[in-house]
Amino acid sequence: MKNMISKFLLSLIIAISLTGCAALNDTIAGDPWRAYAGVPLSGDKVALIKTSGMRSYTSETYIFLINDITVEKIGGYIEVLPGHYVLEAHVAQRLGGPGSLLGALSEKRAQGSIVLEAEAGRIYVVDGRVVDGQAILWIEDEKTEQVVAGNKP
């Protein structure tokens, strides 16, 4: 009986932890940040860009500039008009969680830029890795999962 209770409690802790991780990586919540002036347009007239965000405790990617304009929302969607965009992104990788000693000692950070030719009605996912001290960025079409910019390692 004691062993069964221990297993139940362990399962409960794991389930709560996983739910918390999903909440941290919730890039869909809230309204998108618009990178254009004026009234919001319908989805068939704009493109959405999102980052992989904190995909796990060991890796995260965030956009901080679009065409030299500071992105005012970390995570979530960024709504843009069709066109040419230069995205500046921050990438961090670590062996342990962000609050752990292992994570602090192993963390690698880099910033990089990538160009996107955004098309209306598309959702793009920006992702990255740190390789030899450099940010390697790529962008995938969320629906097709095809790389549309950069090179995925």
Side-chain angles (χ1 to χ4, degrees):
M1 181 71 170
K2 186 177 180 181
N3 193 19
M4 188 183 293
I5 292 172
S6 296
K7 286 181 180 179
F8 171 76
L9 290 175
L10 180 61
S11 297
L12 183 62
I13 290 169
I14 291 170
I16 291 170
S17 296
L18 291 175
T19 303
C21 291
L24 284 174
N25 196 28
D26 184 8
T27 59
I28 302 173
D31 292 330
W33 180 75
R34 284 193 324 261
Y36 61 91
V39 297
L41 300 172
S42 63
D44 63 334
K45 293 185 172 48
V46 297
L48 293 176
I49 303 169
K50 69 178 186 173
T51 60
S52 60
M54 186 182 273
R55 185 172 51 261
S56 67
Y57 278 124
T58 60
S59 181
E60 59 189 272
T61 303
Y62 292 105
I63 299 169
F64 63 92
L65 288 174
I66 295 181
N67 289 354
D68 294 323
I69 298 170
T70 301
V71 175
E72 297 175 8
K73 182 178 182 181
I74 293 179
Y77 286 100
I78 300 167
E79 189 174 294
V80 298
L81 298 172
H84 178 89
Y85 294 93
V86 177
L87 311 175
E88 300 284 335
H90 167 83
V91 181
Q93 284 179 242
R94 62 189 76 78
L95 294 177
S100 72
L101 179 59
L102 180 59
L105 294 174
S106 67
E107 188 166 80
K108 299 183 286 186
R109 292 178 174 267
Q111 295 177 357
S113 63
I114 191 165
V115 174
L116 171 66
E117 298 297 333
E119 297 178 19
R122 302 281 182 126
I123 300 174
Y124 300 100
V125 181
V126 180
D127 206 344
R129 298 285 183 278
V130 179
V131 178
D132 297 327
Q134 301 292 315
I136 306 298
L137 298 170
W138 67 92
I139 302 174
E140 294 180 17
D141 181 299
E142 184 176 65
K143 184 176 181 181
T144 65
E145 298 182 355
Q146 296 294 311
V147 175
V148 296
N151 295 305
K152 185 175 181 176

